[in-house]
Structures are given as C-alpha cells and as structure tokens.
Amino acid sequence: MIKINNLTFHYSDTDKPALRNINLEIQDGEFVLITGPSGGGKSSLCRCLNGLIPHFYGGEITGKVEVENLDVVEHSTRELATKVGMVFQDPENQLVAMDVDREIAFGLENLGFPRELMAKRIEEALDTVGIAGLRHRAITELSGGEKQRVAIASVLALYPNILVLDEPTSELDPKGAEEVLNVIERLNDELGITVILVEHRLDRVVQHIDRMVVLDDGVIMADGVSRAIISDSKVVRSGVGMPPVIKLIQGLKEKGIKIDNTPLTVKEGRAALAKVFQRRVIARHFPSRRCKAQSAEAIPAQPLIEVKGLWHAYPNGFVALKNINLKVCEGEFVAVMGRNASGKTTLVKHFNGLLKPTKGSVLVNGINTGETTISKLAKKVGYVFQNPNDHLFADTVEEEIAFTLRNLGFSTTEMKSLIDQVLERFGLMPYRHRYPRSISGGEKQRVALASILVAQPKIIILDEPTRGMEYKLKAELMRFLDEYRKDGKAVILVTQDVETVAEYGDRVIMLSEGKIIVDGSKREVLSQALLFSPQINRLAQSLKSHGVPSDILTADEALTALT
C-alpha cells in the first residue's frame, strides 16, 4: 500500500512547489493512471515513490510518504528498489550497460540475485516485452521505441511489488504500445502488481485502468473512476485530452442526442452508437485537404527535398534504408510513420546531413547533402531530435533559444523580439530563467522545439515532438505547424501518434524494414488500416453497415456526418 499525507515538495532551484498538499492512498493491486498538463507534478510524484525525491533530487520536502510501510525519507533508494520498479519518461536516463542482455542483468546483479535465477528472470523479461531478438544488440544501435522496451524489461526482471511507468508507450508504435499495455495489465491482474501509470494519451490506456488521478499545478484536481472524471468539464479545460470516442459522444450529447453511458473503448462505442448512426448518418466522404503541392489545379510546387535511390548501411553492416525515392514540396505537411526500427529517424537524418547516403542522393533545396556541411544545411533545415536532452546545454531556457539566433547572425533587437514571441507561443514564459534540464519532460520538449522554430527554417523536421505533451499544447503546436508550412515552407513529422496525424496531417509516408510501403494522403493511408487506424475510423469501420462512411478519421468528421 502507498500512503501519502500532506506532501509538499520544492526543487532546490525554484520558489514554487512542484507538489502541494498531496493526500493519496493507493491500495495493493490497483491500476492507477496519473495524468494532467505538462509540469503539473506527475513525474515529481512518481519520484517520491522510490526515494529519488528527496535522496537524489534534493529540495525541501514536508509531509509523509509511505511505500509498503517504508518511509521514503528514512529509507534508502536501494531499500525501496526492492519494492518499487520505475520506468522513466526518457529511457536513456536508466540505460547503463553496453548491450540488452547486460542491461536487464544490471539491476539483478546489484541486488545480489543468484546466477540461475538471473538467467530465468532475463528470459522472462525479454519474452514479456517481445525483444528476445534484441538481446545481443548494442544499446546505442536501438531505436527510441526499442530502448523503451529494454527499460521496461529491466524493471520487470526485478519482480517489483509496485510498478511505476512514466509515459512508457510514448515512443512505441500502435502495435508495440498495445502489446506492452496488455503485458502490464496481465501483471496487474494475474500477479497482483500495483501499477501506477503516467500517460497523456488516454485513448491508449483508459480501458486498462481502475482509477484516474489528475494533477495540475502540483495539486490533485480529480481522483476517481474514469467515466466520472472524463465527463468533468473542469478536467477537460485543464488540458487533458479526451479519447476521440468520448469527444464524439460529448458532441452528440450537445446536439441533443441521448446516450445513456459514456463508452471508453471502440467496442463500447459501437454498441452505444449503432442505433444513433443508423437513424442519422448521411453516407458521404470527406476528401483530404490538399496543399498546393498535391493539387492538380495548382501550379506544381517546387520540390524542397528530392530523394533518389537512397540506401543507407550503418558501420556494423545493418542496412536501414533500401532504395528510397520521394519528393517533399513546398507547403506540404508530411507524417513519416511505421513500426519501431523501420528506418524513420534514419531517413530524416539524411535531410539535414547528419547521415550521408551509402548509395543514391538527397537534394535539399537543390543542394546535394553528400557534398555540403551540416552547418550550411542548418540554415535551410531545422531538426528537432527525438530526445530533447540532445538539444539542451545552456544555463537558461532563454539562452538555449538565443544560441540558435546568435549563430545565424540575428541582431540583438531581432533576437529579443523573436525570443519573446516563441516563449509566449510555447507557454515557456514562466521558465525563461530556469535551467532547461531541471524542468519536466514535456517542458524540455517545448524548449527544444522553440530553439529550432525560432529561426524559421525553410524545412522543419520533428522527430516524435509530442512525446510527453498534453493535448492542449499538442493542438496548439499542430496549428502552429499547419500555419508554418505555408509560404513555401514544409513540415516533416516523424510520429507514432495516429490521432494527431489524422487530425492535422496531409500526407503519410509509411516505412517498413527500411522501405516505403505506402505514400499517399492521410485518408488513403490511415482509413481501414489494421494497426495505424485512428480510433474513430475503427469505430466507423464497425458501423459501415449502418451507412457510416468508412473513411472518417476524426470525431469532428463523424459529427458533421449527422443530420
């Protein structure tokens, strides 16, 4: 059992408390979701459960936190590690070994497990998260999603009584995320492990949980069963993103259509909506918005990126890209999707010269990337890395953003104006003078975005930019990017977030095993798909016998289909 009484915590470099007067009890065997806006205190609360707060992070703590009858202030992190296993928001923060096998063994060795038991635990952990094929791979060679699975396996091998997971599916493809969550649910159901899950994407997790706790500004603003909390307008206004099925139900109720219960899943939604759609749907299609680069009537847009016969092999011989051919034109908003380790990041790193073709060519705004420098390409291409820590090195958020402008020769007056604008746009004004690495994962992501977008490059590439970002800020970012790609610019988004692509993208390039398997409009690629299909489309597919168009992608589109 976890008991938290009157917990308040300040980090040492801030005046404002990260957590304020938290009172919470979690019973053995519960599956609890903690959600809420970025910077609301979710990760800080999790760090209190395994003693990282206060033993590692320092700061000022008052109140009491008891985990399995151990006071976290009085007991060491080593003692608590036998009770609480934690998977961090950024998997690289906990990966220390050279290869996967040794990484999973690391915690077991430190706790003195016998060799025979270690071998058994390692095999179980590898199989549980589906990475047995990676056991001899170097950690540095893994994709972000693969690293996330390794981090989960290394914690599961310890058989903790309590499992704390901070955004564990943020870098996983839809199939991988579903598999991991099913594993976590099975551990909870069959072994009675208490699970505390931090997650923004409620559509992925809401069907698995027993209880939801919403944190905002360091305070618990809601605590209870999912159906009650997701109907609370105060929670919606706080920035918590409702699953599309629930958003659709709320919209239907506003139209005066009576629906007795709030469905949490596609299956429940199908049962609740079958009669409603049968009476009210007009069969119609929703053509994708087409930018000038795609429109047959418009003058052909200028290609900003041309890839011809691109192959890429890493030094160890692994062939990551195989005969890639594509163009990205002015005004396009392109989503690059695919399973983990399908070659997405490898592909886009060729667009700013971080990687050079093994064979073939890449032209960016007419410049051959194999014959120029990264610094020259940086004036044309902005790249936001998958891991925001790769960007952050300055002493303050303001200096982090100023660094880019200073390197590109902006004047002091121009810099001040642009910095103020980008801080305001990304909600970073309160963090202007904060040390970037001391803020939350979602806030770091916004700082990294701001530091690149402030220079307004011709092409912007974003690798998993919405990781750790709540719905409200995510929507603001996507609207900004939608506006940004106009006037001859282009946006390339590497993402596993199907719902975001369904709502804001234009074109989807799907990769598998280093090859492009499909390249088309979002409606062509995402509708009637098995894995990369948004929630509303899965609902529409199941209701097409009632006249529901099978190419609907979003809740707003579904609402417009009603008379």
Side-chain angles (χ1 to χ4, degrees), residues 205-269:
V205 302
V206 72
Q207 68 269 29
H208 297 284
I209 64 174
D210 301 320
R211 175 180 168 196
M212 184 186 298
V213 176
V214 182
L215 275 177
D216 187 14
D217 199 27
V219 176
I220 294 177
M221 63 177 297
D223 180 1
V225 295
S226 304
R227 291 187 200 277
I229 290 179
I230 58 181
S231 302
D232 188 336
S233 59
K234 180 178 68 173
V235 173
V236 176
R237 287 195 302 271
S238 74
V240 174
M242 294 296 107
V245 166
I246 295 170
K247 183 180 177 183
L248 172 60
I249 294 299
Q250 291 172 340
L252 291 172
K253 289 180 177 179
E254 289 172 6
K255 286 178 175 283
I257 299 171
K258 185 178 179 181
I259 299 172
D260 295 331
N261 207 355
T262 300
L264 299 181
T265 65
V266 171
K267 183 177 181 180
E268 292 180 0

Side-chain angles (χ1 to χ4, degrees), residues 22 31 73 86 109 191 287 295 320 329 363 476 515 522 545:
I22 301 293
F31 195 147
V73 175
M86 183 165 178
E109 289 173 338
L191 300 180
S295 175
C329 296
L363 300 178
E476 289 174 1
K515 298 177 181 178
K522 66 178 180 183
S545 62

Side-chain angles (χ1 to χ4, degrees), residues 409-451:
F410 283 79
S411 69
T412 303
T413 304
E414 290 173 318
M415 285 172 55
K416 185 179 185 308
S417 175
L418 289 169
I419 290 170
D420 286 346
Q421 289 175 29
V422 79
L423 287 172
E424 187 68 39
R425 176 171 288 279
F426 288 101
L428 292 169
M429 278 293 189
Y431 310 100
R432 183 174 199 143
H433 302 296
R434 288 278 300 277
Y435 179 53
R437 288 178 177 266
S438 71
I439 57 182
S440 75
E443 289 158 358
K444 288 179 185 177
Q445 195 74 32
R446 280 147 54 197
V447 174
L449 284 164
S451 69

